[in-house]
Amino acid sequence: MAEDFTRIIRGIGEDPARHGLSGTPLRAARAMAYLTRGYAQSLEALVNGALFDTDNDEMVLVRDIEFYSLCEHHLLPFLGKCHVAYLPKGRVIGLSKIARIVDMFSRRLQIQETLTRQIAEAIESVTDARGVAVVMEARHLCMMMRGVEKQNATMTTSMMLGTFREDARTRAEFMGLLRGG
């Protein structure tokens, strides 16, 4: 990738050998590999068996999980907060694993709508929960730095599966918890 970044630097009219840019192609390649490391991760390896039997069947909610991703259309960052809830059916997942799942899917090129769905479906598949809800709020640099240049616009996406989709009261409880905290 470093050679590709060298070509990009030349393509914008800069000299990749200039003092300030001499190490940039390699640094940029390493940064891109880090920012897209989700491709090298698997859900099974990430969860690593961190599922625990429980008789709890009440909502589990993890709020304000920060995330950083890259828009597949412009390769510019979008970042924000992710809120994940699920209704256990006999087992719960280790708390840190929820944040790791958010990170794994965030570190891939995509759009926010797809990211929201991927997280919800992954939590559902791992936990076999009665329902999963994911809400993501993000600011998109592709909208802030270029195009319409709107600095304060925030995009919100949601995905409701199982009981969260089927039962308005469960969905309302989740949304109330998000507003109340």
Side-chain angles (χ1 to χ4, degrees), residues 43-103:
L43 186 58
E44 296 75 28
L46 186 142
V47 172
N48 194 27
L51 296 162
F52 308 99
D53 292 338
T54 185
D55 58 359
N56 175 42
D57 64 354
E58 295 295 323
M59 189 181 306
V60 175
L61 169 62
V62 183
R63 297 172 36 109
D64 300 329
I65 302 166
E66 67 274 1
F67 73 91
Y68 308 89
S69 194
L70 292 173
C71 164
E72 68 184 25
H73 298 138
H74 304 102
L75 300 185
L76 289 173
F78 64 97
L79 57 134
K81 294 180 181 179
C82 180
H83 316 289
V84 177
Y86 69 101
L87 295 166
K89 184 169 70 177
R91 61 185 179 176
V92 293
I93 188 171
L95 176 61
S96 71
K97 301 303 183 181
I98 294 173
R100 291 181 192 279
I101 290 170
V102 171
D103 284 346

Side-chain angles (χ1 to χ4, degrees), residues 14 23 43 47-48 51 61 76 81 87 93 100 121 125-126 130 132 143 147-148 151 163 166-167 178-179 181:
E14 265 287 2
L43 186 58
V47 172
N48 194 27
L51 296 162
L61 169 62
L76 289 173
K81 294 180 181 179
L87 295 166
I93 188 171
R100 291 181 192 279
E121 290 174 350
S125 74
V126 168
R130 292 180 294 124
V132 176
M143 188 169 170
V148 296
Q151 303 307 305
T163 305
E166 299 157 4
D167 184 344
L178 287 184
R179 283 189 297 274

Side-chain angles (χ1 to χ4, degrees), residues 17-50:
R18 180 170 64 80
H19 176 69
L21 292 174
S22 62
T24 298
L26 182 57
R27 285 190 300 272
R30 287 180 180 154
M32 185 58 73
Y34 182 81
L35 295 173
T36 59
R37 71 186 184 276
Y39 290 113
Q41 296 177 303
S42 77
L43 186 58
E44 296 75 28
L46 186 142
V47 172
N48 194 27

